[in-house]
Amino acid sequence: MRLTALLTASAVAAGTGILIALPAQAEGTGAAYVALGDSYASGEGAPESHYLEGDSIAKDGVTTGCHRAYSSWAFGVAATVQPADGILAACSGARATHLFGPNDSYPTTESAQIDEVGSSTRLVTLSIGGNDVGFADVVRGCVSAPGKRGRYDCRLEGRPVHDDAVRNLNKLTNLGVDTPNGPMTLAGIYHAVAERMAPDGVLVVANYPQLFSESIEGYRDEEYSCKVGTAYGVATATVKYDDALWMNSLAQEGNAAIANGVAEANRTLQEAGNTQSVVLADVDTAFEGHRICGGDKWINGAQLAGATPKQTSMHPSVKGQEAYCRAVTAALPGSPAPRCDFDQATQSYN
């Protein structure tokens, strides 16, 4: 069974700052608001206690492992626009192929995320592409875990981490990423989602934050590395400054591809006579001054269970979810007053 989280107006307090009173869906025509994408949309990075029922660690054939959290920024967007109904379909680990085909990564198979989008859908938010580049593998290959300091210099040509990342990034930016319909460019993906929506519907595409501080001040040991986590409460996991900057450059290139895809999708939608639009939410800028190794960070470091990194590693904390919410709502037409402050007491955005 498809496990989704209903985002209803009853989940948030009434108030001002409503952009649109998104109407309820007609049966089979899609929710008024649909949040699609990967872990950066599902709420991964929030405390595990925030996972919605049925979305916790996949282990028993019942839970999905999608790690949808009630502190996900999608709930803040819902609090801002107050849709009559909405669906959080984003799933941790999702790739572009899971927008258009089933996701059997976990014990409970999920249907294609795009199935939630239809002719009554006025707003879609989307974060996708990071897993197609294999960014989690890049981070695992660059962060030096206890006893594995040889992972330093992962950025060098000829290292598997470097070469795999370059190859995958080329797919994202040029060749197209794998989907059940064959390789699709980001522009093609955005077009395919938007054209399913209601006339004048808006697809908001969020880019990704660079993870690491660009200031060398946070990398002050003899190797110019930064502590990003602790294993067994003692041994440290670290990242080298030059490797951190290289990982940031991958995010920058990916974000440039996302921006280009948004522009191209709008062009092809207009040429086809469609009235839907695609807009870019610049999330990366919202994290300036709040990256790993840079002070008051809004992104988790390496969160380790023993020496094994948890999925929550290198994902936005609750503060990061709030930053995402502000960036996404700022991209909405009409510039609504954001309701992006997460209240721990009520477990809701207001």
Side-chain angles (χ1 to χ4, degrees):
M1 181 179 67
R2 175 76 182 210
L3 295 173
T4 55
L6 186 65
L7 307 178
T8 64
S10 64
V12 297
T16 58
I18 300 174
L19 169 65
I20 10 176
L22 295 177
Q25 71 190 78
E27 185 175 356
T29 60
Y33 167 43
V34 182
L36 304 176
D38 54 22
S39 57
Y40 274 74
S42 73
E44 184 78 81
E48 293 177 16
S49 60
H50 289 198
Y51 295 158
L52 295 162
E53 184 177 357
D55 285 299
S56 57
I57 305 299
K59 60 183 178 180
D60 53 13
V62 177
T63 53
T64 68
C66 283
H67 295 178
R68 302 183 182 104
Y70 57 71
S71 53
S72 164
W73 54 265
F75 280 92
V77 174
T80 300
V81 304
Q82 296 196 356
D85 62 347
I87 294 292
L88 174 56
C91 182
S92 183
R95 304 187 306 279
T97 190
H98 301 132
L99 295 177
F100 304 101
N103 183 351
D104 59 0
S105 303
Y106 302 114
T108 300
T109 298
E110 299 228 326
S111 59
Q113 292 186 23
I114 201 172
D115 289 350
E116 306 292 355
V117 179
S119 58
S120 292
T121 304
R122 302 286 301 169
L123 174 65
V124 173
T125 55
L126 173 63
S127 167
I128 204 71
N131 291 318
D132 294 276
V133 175
F135 202 73
D137 293 331
V138 170
V139 173
R140 278 191 292 267
C142 290
V143 170
S144 178
K148 296 183 178 179
R149 301 190 70 79
R151 290 182 174 177
Y152 279 179
D153 300 324
C154 63
R155 72 194 183 282
L156 299 179
E157 186 175 353
R159 294 286 180 95
V161 172
H162 171 277
D163 295 353
D164 288 346
V166 170
R167 181 167 52 251
N168 291 334
L169 190 59
N170 187 41
K171 288 184 178 181
L172 189 76
T173 57
N174 298 305
L175 304 178
V177 294
D178 296 333
T179 76
N181 304 319
M184 292 183 70
T185 63
L186 289 175
I189 290 168
Y190 305 155
H191 184 124
V193 173
E195 70 178 356
R196 289 176 62 99
M197 299 173 65
D200 300 318
V202 178
L203 167 61
V204 181
V205 178
N207 63 16
Y208 292 93
Q210 298 173 67
L211 295 180
F212 300 99
S213 172
E214 61 276 13
S215 171
I216 201 169
E217 291 302 313
Y219 308 78
R220 299 300 292 174
D221 70 7
E222 68 279 4
E223 295 178 303
Y224 286 101
S225 66
C226 167
K227 174 183 174 181
V228 296
T230 304
Y232 303 110
V234 180
T236 59
T238 57
V239 65
K240 193 174 181 179
Y241 180 63
D242 290 340
D243 292 336
L245 293 188
W246 175 70
M247 284 187 279
N248 280 356
S249 74
L250 294 179
Q252 290 173 327
E253 290 183 56
N255 285 346
I258 289 170
N260 291 335
V262 167
E264 177 65 11
N266 279 313
R267 185 185 67 79
T268 59
L269 285 165
Q270 291 171 6
E271 287 180 350
N274 293 314
T275 57
Q276 301 91 341
S277 60
V278 187
V279 298
L280 176 68
D282 182 13
V283 173
D284 182 47
T285 301
F287 281 82
E288 289 180 356
H290 299 283
R291 309 188 199 279
I292 298 171
C293 303
D296 180 23
K297 66 179 186 294
W298 293 346
I299 303 171
N300 297 331
Q303 296 185 322
L304 305 170
T308 304
K310 298 180 180 180
Q311 284 182 247
T312 51
S313 298
M314 309 297 175
H315 284 81
S317 64
V318 173
K319 283 291 186 184
Q321 301 293 332
E322 292 175 333
Y324 251 90
C325 178
R326 289 190 294 271
V328 171
T329 55
L332 293 172
S335 301
R339 300 182 64 180
C340 295
D341 295 322
F342 184 75
D343 187 333
Q344 296 282 357
T346 63
Q347 299 181 350
S348 64
Y349 281 91
N350 54 48

